């Protein structure tokens, strides 16, 4: 009886387009993803195989797949003549398999109910990231932690990476912030839904637990010391609550942010700025005004990296220099090493040429705009949260590149697959034909 109940729950909210075994594997993979890419890949790969076998219209008939095929051809051509040599071929692994994943994962996020289930798994799977991160900073936890006879290793940096910044199970604080930031709107949706159930006399013990979870994740996001993460936390609230509440919510947010602006902006007179800085924690206004790095050379700043990156694009505009070329060229021209230009369109243009950058950025923008036009951004609670999670990930890549962590990359393409569908009519669609 207990096994039957568990099986019923696991198979619950399964989109008709998904096979039973693929749905189970997909849920396991999503839950394990933030903890370990090694553990998540086998079930996700099985789910991908099952999703690709779904009887639906031919792969070629989806116009986006044709665009991805063109992008793949251009990437392969660029790699064959790349400045970065074998690194160019290795770098294709950050892209080519995910074009397939975008297609194969669509059956599992083909309905609003399915997306809600996956969103909740992202939320629950994030708990180890929060737990280890807070333990890292507050309790002095450090790795390496090993499992499966050393096959699985968590390198938990003592005191954070960089020091005094929460990184948890990730290699760097900004990457941890990216995960916490895109999962934040999903957690908000879960909390708001639970609050509504609590008001109806249900979820009497779930709501306190979720509120603790909410506070813990917000605390962890703050402790990453990531400006992008902080901005994402603020942006998510109006997106998840929806336009119906913007009339009072947006003025309230602006009013709360006003002291921060006064504390940070250099044009504010001291008569106003000093009281604002007394009100706002120095850890916030100092970080936002880049107090700790005010004497950095230009080559160590985003502006310096973007300037050199734009020049590199102009030198090799069509097929690029090859993946990882920026990390080879930038030190020789500036004397400062950086692994990437901290901007995804620029990184794509340097590595693969501006046509690839334009096509990929265009696809993502089209998915966001089309899904918003079809009602996802203003639809039911978890639909708004899903759309917000994608938008936050997209915006994070304007000044950083968290996708070079495999877990972020997998999560991003999975979320994008959920935007491929029609959020208004998909629940009424049947079987594999639900994918439009």
């Amino acid at each position: 009886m207990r096994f039957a109940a568990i099986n019923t729950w696991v198979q619950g909210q399964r989109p008709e387009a998904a096979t039973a075994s693929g749905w189970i594997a997909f849920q396991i993979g999503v839950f394990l993803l933030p903890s370990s890419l090694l553990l998540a890949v086998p079930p996700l790969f099985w789910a991908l195989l099952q999703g690709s076998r779904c009887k639906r219209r031919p792969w070629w008939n989806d116009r986006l797949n044709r665009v991805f095929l063109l992008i793949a051809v251009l990437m392969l051509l660029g790699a064959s003549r790349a400045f970065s040599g074998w690194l160019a071929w290795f770098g294709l692994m950050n892209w080519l398999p995910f074009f397939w994943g975008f297609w194969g994962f669509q059956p599992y996020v083909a309905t609003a109910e399915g997306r809600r289930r996956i969103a909740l798994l992202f939320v629950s799977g994030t708990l180890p990231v929060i737990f280890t991160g807070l333990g890292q900073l507050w309790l002095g936890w450090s790795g390496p932690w090993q499992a499966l006879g050393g096959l699985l290793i968590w390198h938990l940096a003592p005191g954070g990476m960089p020091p005094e910044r929460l990184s948890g199970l990730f290699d760097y604080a900004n990457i941890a912030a990216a995960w916490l930031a895109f999962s934040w709107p999903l957690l908000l949706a879960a909390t708001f839904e639970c609050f509504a159930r609590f008001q109806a006399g249900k979820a009497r013990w779930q709501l306190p637990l979720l509120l603790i979870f909410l506070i813990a994740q917000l605390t962890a996001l703050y402790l990453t010391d990531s400006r992008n993460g902080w901005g994402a936390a603020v942006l998510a609230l109006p997106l998840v609550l929806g336009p119906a509440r913007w009339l009072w919510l947006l003025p309230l947010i602006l009013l709360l942010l006003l002291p921060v602006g006064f504390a940070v902006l250099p044009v504010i007179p001291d008569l106003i700025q000093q009281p604002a800085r007394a009100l706002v924690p120095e850890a916030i206004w100092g970080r936002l005004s880049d107090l700790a790095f005010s004497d950095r050379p230009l080559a160590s700043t985003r502006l310096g990296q973007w300037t050199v990156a734009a020049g590199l694009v102009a030198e090799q505009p069509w097929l690029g220099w090859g993946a990882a070329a920026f990390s080879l060229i930038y030190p020789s021209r500036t004397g400062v090493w950086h692994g990437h230009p901290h901007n995804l369109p620029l990184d794509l243009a340097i590595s693969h040429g501006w046509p690839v950058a334009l096509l990929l950025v265009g696809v993502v923008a089209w998915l966001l705009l089309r899904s918003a036009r079809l009602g996802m951004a203003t639809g039911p609670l978890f639909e708004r949260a899903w759309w917000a999670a994608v938008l936050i990930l997209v915006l994070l890549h304007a000044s950083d590149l968290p996708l070079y962590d495999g877990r972020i990359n997998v999560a991003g393409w999975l979320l994008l697959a959920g935007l491929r569908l029609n959020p208004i009519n998909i629940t009424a669609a049947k079987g594999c034909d639900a994918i439009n």
Side-chain angles (χ1 to χ4, degrees):
M1 289 293 292
R2 182 174 298 178
F3 176 79
I6 293 174
N7 184 64
T8 300
W9 182 88
V10 169
Q11 291 296 339
Q13 300 178 328
R14 173 168 66 92
E16 292 185 50
T19 65
S21 65
W23 180 237
I24 292 173
F26 190 69
Q27 292 178 85
I28 294 172
V30 170
F31 178 74
L32 294 175
L33 184 59
S35 295
S36 169
L37 185 63
L38 180 66
L39 293 179
V41 162
L44 286 176
F45 185 68
W46 175 255
L48 180 57
L49 292 175
Q50 292 292 304
S52 301
R53 291 176 58 246
C54 177
K55 293 181 180 179
R56 45 182 162 164
R57 65 183 185 174
W59 174 89
W60 178 252
N61 286 351
D62 188 321
R63 288 173 295 178
L64 274 191
N65 289 337
R66 300 179 202 173
V67 177
F68 285 132
L69 179 60
L70 174 59
I71 293 170
V73 170
L74 291 174
M75 285 182 165
L76 290 168
L77 286 175
S80 67
R81 54 180 296 279
F83 169 84
S84 56
W86 66 270
L87 289 174
W89 296 100
F90 186 76
L92 295 181
M93 295 301 295
N94 287 314
W95 296 104
L96 300 188
F98 295 98
F99 299 163
W100 175 30
F102 176 78
W103 166 255
F105 287 147
Q106 286 178 28
Y108 306 108
V109 287
T111 64
E113 293 82 4
R115 289 190 287 274
R116 177 185 174 277
R117 169 65 68 87
I118 299 306
L120 291 175
L121 287 169
F122 270 129
V123 168
S124 56
T126 301
L127 184 58
V129 178
I130 300 169
F131 185 68
T132 56
L134 295 179
Q136 176 187 54
L137 291 189
W138 292 348
L139 302 177
W141 292 354
S142 63
W145 295 350
Q146 300 186 24
L148 303 177
L151 182 63
L152 186 63
I153 301 177
W154 288 280
H155 296 283
L156 194 65
M161 180 55 67
E164 299 183 5
R165 293 180 60 186
L166 183 145
S167 56
L169 297 177
F170 292 88
D171 293 333
Y172 198 76
N174 286 350
I175 308 299
W179 186 280
L180 294 170
F182 90 75
S183 61
W184 173 247
L186 306 179
L187 176 57
L188 283 175
T191 305
F192 293 148
E193 182 185 72
C194 191
F195 181 73
R197 295 178 61 219
F198 181 82
Q199 288 182 310
K202 304 175 183 178
R204 294 194 178 277
W205 62 270
Q206 292 98 326
L207 182 60
L209 290 179
L210 262 179
L211 290 175
I212 293 172
F213 197 169
L214 188 85
I215 294 170
Q217 180 152 338
L218 189 59
T219 301
L221 187 54
Y222 169 74
L223 291 174
T224 62
D225 207 26
S226 166
R227 290 166 292 190
N228 283 343
W230 296 349
V234 175
L235 176 63
L237 189 60
L239 292 176
V240 174
L241 284 176
R245 296 173 177 84
W246 287 0
L247 186 62
W248 61 267
L249 180 62
L250 292 181
L252 177 61
I253 291 175
L254 290 175
L255 182 63
L256 293 174
L257 291 179
L258 200 59
V260 179
F262 287 159
V264 170
L265 295 175
V267 297
I268 302 298
D270 284 346
L271 184 64
I272 299 176
Q273 190 165 74
Q274 293 309 317
R277 289 188 171 184
L279 180 64
V280 178
E282 184 177 349
I284 295 179
W285 65 258
R287 176 66 171 155
L288 291 176
S289 59
D290 223 0
L291 177 65
F293 305 103
S294 57
D295 58 346
R296 288 188 300 172
L298 180 64
S300 296
T301 65
R302 297 286 197 271
L303 180 60
Q305 295 156 26
W306 294 343
T307 302
V308 173
L312 292 175
V313 174
E315 293 178 37
Q316 295 280 2
W318 297 105
L319 294 176
W321 297 80
F326 184 85
S327 64
L328 303 175
I329 300 172
Y330 195 75
S332 67
R333 299 197 178 184
T334 65
V336 177
W337 186 87
H338 280 288
H340 53 70
H342 290 87
N343 177 274
L344 182 56
L346 280 175
D347 188 69
L348 281 167
I350 293 169
S351 300
H352 308 291
W354 72 261
V356 165
L358 187 62
L359 286 169
L360 266 174
V361 171
V363 165
V364 174
W366 181 83
L367 285 168
L368 276 168
L369 292 173
R370 174 180 176 272
S371 58
R373 178 176 61 83
L374 293 172
M376 179 176 271
T378 56
L381 178 59
F382 273 94
E383 295 291 89
R384 300 196 301 266
W386 190 283
W387 193 88
V390 178
L391 179 64
I392 284 171
L393 266 183
V394 169
L395 294 177
L396 289 176
H397 284 87
S399 60
D400 206 350
L401 288 176
L403 70 83
Y404 285 130
D405 182 279
R407 290 166 288 184
I408 299 288
N409 207 359
V410 171
W413 283 97
L414 189 159
L415 289 166
L416 276 178
L419 297 190
R420 182 65 184 100
L421 310 174
N422 186 331
I424 294 177
N425 299 325
I426 194 65
T427 54
K430 298 296 182 181
C432 294
D433 294 332
I435 298 176
N436 59 15

